[in-house]
Amino acid sequence: MPATTAPLLTDEIRGTASQADARGVAAAAFRAVRSETERRAAPLGPEDQSVQSMPEASPAKWHRAHTTWFFEQFLLVPHLGGYRVFDEQYAYLFNSYYVGAGPRHARPRRGLITRPTAAEITAFRLHVDAAVERLLVTSADHQLPEALRVLEIGMHHEQQHQELLLTDILHAFACSPVTPAYDKAWQSPRSSSPAAAFGDLPAGIHRIGFLDRGYCFDNELPAHRVFIQPARIGRSLVSNAQWLEFMEEGGYGTPSLWLSDGWAALEAEQWEAPGYWRKVDGAWHTVTLAGLTPVDPDAPVTHVSYYEADAFARWAHKHLPTEAEWEIAARANTISDAFGIVWQWTRSAYLPYPGYRAASGVLGEYNGKFMVNQMVLRGSSHATPFGHTRPSYRNFFYPSARWQFSGLRLLDYLE
Ligand SMILES: [Fe+2]
C-alpha cells in the first residue's frame, strides 16, 4: 500500500491566486487528505477499529472521528454560518488534548467507546466533508484566508493521524496471538546505501528551522543560527545486521551502555531486542503490517526507543546527531534515506527554538505545551503520507516510545 496523497496548498493558492482558484484547489486537497484516511482504514473491520492496545495508542475509529471533530470544532463552528453540529456528545468523545475546547474523555479509555459505531463515524465524516465543501463555496472573500489557514492546519493534522492509525493498529495486531496482517502485501523498506559510509558535516554557523516556501508547524519557527562542530554523519540508517551485532555482544545486558532511565525501562519492560521482535524456531522475526516476518538483516532497524538508540551509539563509540546536525546534513544531501524509511532519533530534547511563541487561541495548544521531557525525531517513515514532511520537520516522542517507525543513524565528531 504505497503512501499517496495530493499535494496540499501551495504558496500561490495561499497568497496570490484568484479566490476562485484557491477555493477549488483547497477543496481538491481536502478531498485527497480525507480519502487517504479512509483508504488506510479500509482493511480494518469494526472490531479492529475499536481496539486500544495501550494508553498511548488510539483506536482507528477514534483517529477517524478525532480528525473530523478537529474540522468541526476549529473550522466549521466558527466559520460556517448555520452549521449544525453532527452530535453534541462527539466533542467530549473526540477532543484529544485541547483544554481550551472543553472537557474530554480520558485518553487511556478510548477503547471503551464502542458507540458510536464505525459506521456512525463514517456518517460523521461525510457530514463534515459536505460542510467543509459548502464553506469553501460560500465563504465571503474577506473570510477565506482565515478559513484556508485553519483548513490547512486540519489537513496536516489529519496526515499526522494517518501515520498514527497504522502505528497504533500495528501495536494492537502485535498484541494478538495470531498476529494478523494489516496488508499481506505491505513491504517494509530497505536502505538505499551501504552501511558504514560517513559524510562530512561542515563546522561553523548554519541556519536551521523553516526556511522554505510552503507549510510548516509553529515548532519549526523561528529559523535561527546554530553552531556545529566538525563531524561526520552516517550516510545510511543503522541496519538490523548492525543491531544483531549489538545484541550478540550483550548490548541489552550491559548497564554501562545505558542511561539510568533507559536501563530502568529495559528492566521494567524486559527489553532484549527491538519492539515486535520475537524468536521463532531459533530465528528472529518481527511483526510488521504484513504480519510476522523474518528479520531482514539489510533493512534498517525499526521500533527502537531513544534509550536503545542512545545505548547503541555508545556501544558503537559514536553519537546520535543533534537535530541541527541532522537538518544541516539533510539540506546538503549528505545523508541517504533521510525521508520515507524510518524516523530517526536525535539527541536533541524537544525544546522551543529561540524566540518561539505558540500561536494564540486554542490551536496554540497544538505543539508548544509538549516542549518538555520528549526527544526529537527527524525525517519521516514509510507510513508518513507523501508530502507531509520536510527538512525542518520536528517529530517528538517520549524516550521510551518504540511503537513508532523509529530508527537511527550515527554521527562522529572529528575533534
Ligand atoms: Fe490530533
Side-chain angles (χ1 to χ4, degrees):
M1 175 179 276
T4 58
T5 202
L8 301 182
L9 303 189
T10 64
D11 283 327
E12 286 68 32
I13 293 306
R14 276 193 215 93
T16 59
S18 76
Q19 295 256 339
D21 285 349
R23 292 171 196 271
V25 171
F30 176 72
R31 273 178 229 132
V33 169
R34 298 287 283 169
S35 64
E36 175 66 10
T37 303
E38 294 301 82
R39 192 179 76 93
R40 290 181 180 221
L44 304 175
E47 295 87 351
D48 299 328
Q49 288 201 33
S50 284
V51 71
Q52 181 174 27
S53 53
M54 63 172 171
E56 296 81 5
S58 299
K61 184 176 74 179
W62 189 91
H63 286 299
R64 294 175 60 224
H66 162 71
T67 49
T68 306
W69 164 81
F70 192 98
F71 287 112
E72 182 171 80
Q73 175 77 29
F74 297 120
L75 181 65
L76 296 174
V77 169
H79 296 290
L80 181 61
Y83 174 71
R84 178 179 59 81
V85 168
F86 183 78
D87 186 312
E88 296 286 350
Q89 293 181 317
Y90 282 16
Y92 182 82
L93 295 176
F94 302 123
N95 177 359
S96 52
Y97 54 69
Y98 296 90
V99 177
R104 70 221 69 85
H105 185 64
R107 184 183 186 189
R109 298 165 72 85
R110 288 173 184 165
L112 300 179
I113 306 173
T114 57
R115 308 288 177 91
T117 64
E120 286 166 326
I121 297 308
T122 301
F124 177 37
R125 289 182 66 88
L126 292 173
H127 174 88
V128 165
D129 287 351
V132 170
E133 301 247 5
R134 206 158 60 242
L135 170 77
L136 286 171
V137 171
T138 60
S139 175
D141 282 357
H142 71 278
Q143 291 169 328
L144 190 63
E146 177 58 13
L148 288 182
R149 187 186 75 82
V150 178
L151 178 80
E152 189 167 38
I153 295 170
M155 291 192 291
H156 287 269
H157 169 255
E158 182 145 349
Q159 287 190 314
Q160 292 180 317
H161 281 275
Q162 287 167 359
E163 176 152 3
L164 293 173
L165 191 152
L166 295 186
T167 58
D168 293 0
I169 200 65
L170 176 60
H171 187 270
F173 282 175
C175 292
S176 163
V178 295
T179 54
Y182 164 80
D183 174 3
K184 284 201 172 79
W186 181 274
Q187 296 278 333
S188 295
R190 302 181 69 171
S191 298
S192 63
S193 72
F198 277 67
D200 287 332
L201 212 52
I205 295 171
H206 300 260
R207 273 168 74 80
I208 67 160
F210 186 68
L211 303 163
D212 316 293
R213 290 161 58 83
Y215 179 83
C216 75
F217 284 112
D218 63 357
N219 61 4
E220 298 163 59
L221 296 169
H224 60 284
R225 285 180 288 275
V226 294
F227 181 81
I228 63 165
Q229 305 293 328
R232 310 197 78 202
I233 188 165
R235 290 192 191 279
S236 55
L237 301 163
V238 168
S239 69
N240 285 327
Q242 290 173 288
W243 203 270
L244 283 161
E245 225 179 295
F246 168 68
M247 289 164 58
E248 282 157 15
E249 286 200 10
Y252 282 91
T254 309
S256 57
L257 293 174
W258 293 74
L259 294 167
S260 175
D261 284 355
W263 188 252
L266 175 153
E267 287 195 314
E269 300 183 31
Q270 299 185 321
W271 291 341
E272 54 173 19
Y276 305 145
W277 280 34
R278 44 196 77 165
K279 232 170 198 171
V280 181
D281 297 331
W284 281 111
H285 286 62
T286 181
V287 183
T288 71
L289 288 167
L292 191 66
T293 58
V295 166
D296 174 358
D298 295 328
V301 69
T302 313
H303 302 300
V304 291
S305 62
Y306 174 81
Y307 293 135
E308 288 164 288
D310 174 79
F312 180 92
R314 194 165 294 108
W315 168 79
H317 302 290
K318 301 276 191 300
H319 307 270
L320 295 176
T322 64
E323 62 173 320
E325 289 159 347
W326 187 98
E327 183 173 329
I328 291 157
R331 288 189 187 280
N333 286 322
T334 307
I335 52 178
S336 305
D337 301 328
F339 301 101
I341 312 286
V342 292
W343 291 98
Q344 297 135 65
W345 286 109
T346 73
R347 63 184 176 85
S348 296
Y350 180 50
L351 292 171
Y353 282 165
Y356 168 82
R357 292 271 178 247
S360 59
V362 180
L363 280 175
E365 295 186 42
Y366 200 111
N367 283 308
K369 70 182 187 181
F370 299 109
M371 291 175 170
V372 69
N373 294 334
Q374 306 201 52
M375 302 302 288
V376 173
L377 300 100
R378 290 303 199 102
S380 62
S381 86
H382 57 298
T384 310
F386 179 74
H388 177 66
T389 186
R390 54 199 158 264
S392 58
Y393 194 98
R394 307 174 79 198
N395 198 353
F396 52 93
F397 278 93
Y398 289 101
S400 60
R402 54 185 207 164
W403 90 106
Q404 296 301 302
F405 295 105
S406 49
L408 68 153
R409 71 178 67 238
L410 296 173
L411 178 132
D412 205 5
Y413 292 104
L414 298 177
E415 291 177 354

